Amino acid sequence: MPMPEDTKKVKNMNRRTFIQGTALGLAGMTVSIDHAHASFWDAFFQKHFREMNDSEIQKVISRIEKECEEKYKKTISIGNEKPLSGVQFGYGLDLSRCIGCRRCVYACVEENNQSLDPQIHWISVLRFRKGEKWIDLENSEKYYNPEKVPEKEFFYMPVQCQQCENPPCVRACPTQATWKEPDGIVVIDYNWCIGCRYCMAACPYGARRFNWAAPNRPPEKINPKTHYLGNRPRYKGVVEKCTFCIQRTRNGRYPACVEICPVGARKFGNLLDPNSEIRYAIEHKRVFRLKEDLNTYPKFYYFFAYGR
Amino acid sequence: MRSLRQLKGLARNFVLLAVAILPVQFAASAEHAAPAKKFLVPPPPFSPGIFPCSQCHQGMPVNRTPRKLEMMHQDIALKHMQDGWCFDCHNPDNRDKLRLTNGKLVSFDESYNLCGQCHGTILREWKAGLHGKRTGMWNGEKQYLLCVHCHWPHDPVFKPLTPMPPPVRPADIK
């Protein structure tokens, strides 16, 4: 069927404008290749992390290290430690012992270079009144601020990324910028994340944080020992989250929140090692996982050590 | 006469019985023979200048009567055991050691064995890494904290802490 004359005209014009626009755009690109920083184009054409080989990753890392050095006037090393074989990380948290002091929250901020202003915390400590229906997470209190903790009539429940075995955030990501590593850690490539926040909508634990503004952290407070998939400085408009301190744990160390906890409520280890603390907790205590009914299979186990 | 099959059965039962009993005996004897496992701990939290205790207590007569201390150690209000006294844990003859109820002396960096006499279940979980804090390597050498790093032994209830500031409310973000 022949099209009416005017519609055809509009279509042709649109097509022409499009081609003209593309040509202009390309011309613009050639102009800016001369002027733009070379690393801009390196970053623009950077491949997906899992499609790069080791030397390509190394190249990317040294480029980002250079960018960080320019920005913070400080040497920041970005590691790329690979997952250890025969390791599945698991985390335990003893709710009968947690006193809600939030030391873990701030140790995490220090270790993982979270933005101070606007503030980003990867761990939320929720407070519940004893004896009330408490799994109702939406009605929990996270802004509590008493003189001293623990308070008699309350108990506390820190929540962070649960490192699900079946992570909904990974399925939701349209660019595959987030994925689960072989050791069970769900990671984000901050250079591949487009900031759509689908993962945040998908996460049932509210564990992911978005950088609405450029992360702000004075250079002297930057932890220079970082990992590409972990605590390296982030950009505006990317999502970030707990990675079980990937830069520490892949080198055999405990996560920062485990080391700071003054009551020793936090446990960490290899789920495949029968002598690990986490296995002891799972085998000897009644453990539960948050929102088990969603079949996300978190590797974060809550338990009550007293009264088993 | 018993058939060969019956004899075989008997022999098998005997072997099974022996297999069942022997490890128990071996385990029991091994418990006494093997030295107790040492746990890597940081130095005990002494007040500065107070250790070794013998620097003051050497030659001092041992006074076993429970009383209020006035010359030294006034800060110690014993709220641990009812009607307890120093020598329930401290060794009267050599003050640089602690003493178990069976008379065995233990050093201050092995005081967990002393606490474990009453708090056995907690000692078991401490050894397994569940009670108390672990630092170091999750897949290697771990450092354990002594009971007394968190619990003041003369009044062991965990003391409340001042919490760190709460997160900024969304409404307060400028």
Coordinates of all heavy atoms in Angstrom, one line a residue, chain A residues 38 71 102 104 109 116-117 130 138 158-159 181 221 280 292 305:
Chain A
A38 N 43.3 10.6 27.0 CA 43.4 9.3 26.4 C 42.7 8.3 27.2 O 42.0 7.4 26.7 CB 44.9 8.9 26.2
K71 N 43.5 12.0 41.3 CA 42.3 12.6 42.0 C 42.6 12.8 43.5 O 42.3 13.8 44.1 CB 41.1 11.7 41.9 CG 39.8 12.3 42.4 CD 38.6 11.4 42.1 CE 37.4 12.0 42.8 NZ 36.3 11.0 42.8
R102 N 27.2 -0.5 66.8 CA 27.5 0.1 65.5 C 29.0 0.2 65.2 O 29.4 0.9 64.3 CB 26.8 1.4 65.3 CG 25.3 1.4 65.2 CD 24.8 2.7 64.5 NE 23.4 2.9 64.7 CZ 22.9 3.6 65.6 NH1 23.6 4.3 66.4 NH2 21.6 3.7 65.7
C104 N 30.7 -2.1 64.0 CA 30.9 -2.7 62.7 C 30.6 -1.8 61.5 O 31.3 -1.8 60.5 CB 30.0 -3.9 62.6 SG 28.3 -3.6 63.1
V109 N 33.0 1.3 57.0 CA 33.2 2.6 56.2 C 34.7 2.8 56.1 O 35.1 3.2 55.0 CB 32.5 3.7 57.0 CG1 32.9 5.1 56.4 CG2 31.0 3.6 56.9
L116 N 31.7 9.7 52.9 CA 31.3 10.3 54.2 C 30.2 11.3 54.0 O 29.3 11.4 54.9 CB 32.5 10.9 54.8 CG 33.7 10.0 55.1 CD1 34.8 10.8 55.7 CD2 33.3 8.9 56.0
D117 N 30.2 12.0 52.9 CA 29.1 13.0 52.7 C 28.9 13.1 51.2 O 29.7 13.6 50.5 CB 29.6 14.3 53.2 CG 28.5 15.4 53.0 OD1 27.3 15.0 53.0 OD2 28.9 16.6 52.9
K130 N 12.0 -6.4 72.4 CA 11.9 -7.8 72.8 C 10.4 -8.2 73.0 O 9.7 -7.5 73.5 CB 12.6 -8.1 74.1 CG 14.1 -8.2 73.9 CD 14.8 -8.5 75.2 CE 16.3 -8.5 75.1 NZ 17.0 -8.4 76.3
E138 N 10.3 -3.6 58.2 CA 9.9 -2.2 57.8 C 9.7 -1.4 59.0 O 9.8 -0.2 59.0 CB 8.7 -2.2 56.8 CG 9.1 -2.4 55.4 CD 9.6 -3.9 55.1 OE1 9.1 -4.8 55.8 OE2 10.4 -4.1 54.2
P158 N 22.1 -6.6 63.0 CA 22.8 -6.0 61.8 C 22.4 -6.7 60.5 O 22.3 -8.0 60.5 CB 24.2 -6.2 62.2 CG 24.3 -6.6 63.6 CD 23.0 -7.3 63.9
V159 N 22.1 -5.9 59.5 CA 21.8 -6.5 58.2 C 22.8 -5.9 57.2 O 23.0 -4.7 57.2 CB 20.4 -6.2 57.8 CG1 20.1 -6.8 56.4 CG2 19.4 -6.8 58.8
E181 N 30.8 -14.5 42.4 CA 32.1 -15.1 42.1 C 32.1 -16.6 42.6 O 31.3 -17.0 43.4 CB 33.2 -14.3 42.9 CG 33.5 -13.0 42.3 CD 34.5 -13.1 41.3 OE1 35.7 -13.3 41.6 OE2 34.2 -13.0 40.1
K221 N 41.9 9.8 54.5 CA 41.0 8.8 55.1 C 40.8 7.6 54.1 O 40.0 6.8 54.3 CB 39.7 9.3 55.5 CG 39.8 10.2 56.8 CD 38.4 10.4 57.4 CE 38.6 11.1 58.7 NZ 37.3 11.6 59.2
Y280 N 30.8 -24.8 62.8 CA 30.5 -25.1 64.1 C 29.1 -24.5 64.5 O 28.3 -25.2 65.1 CB 31.6 -24.7 65.1 CG 31.3 -25.1 66.5 CD1 31.9 -26.3 67.0 CD2 30.6 -24.4 67.4 CE1 31.7 -26.7 68.3 CE2 30.4 -24.8 68.7 CZ 30.9 -26.0 69.1 OH 30.7 -26.4 70.4
E292 N 14.0 -16.5 54.5 CA 14.3 -17.8 53.8 C 13.2 -18.2 52.8 O 13.5 -18.9 51.8 CB 14.3 -18.9 54.9 CG 15.7 -19.2 55.4 CD 15.7 -20.1 56.7 OE1 14.6 -20.5 57.1 OE2 16.7 -20.3 57.2
A305 N 23.3 -18.0 70.3 CA 24.2 -19.0 70.9 C 23.7 -19.4 72.3 O 23.9 -20.5 72.7 CB 25.6 -18.4 71.1

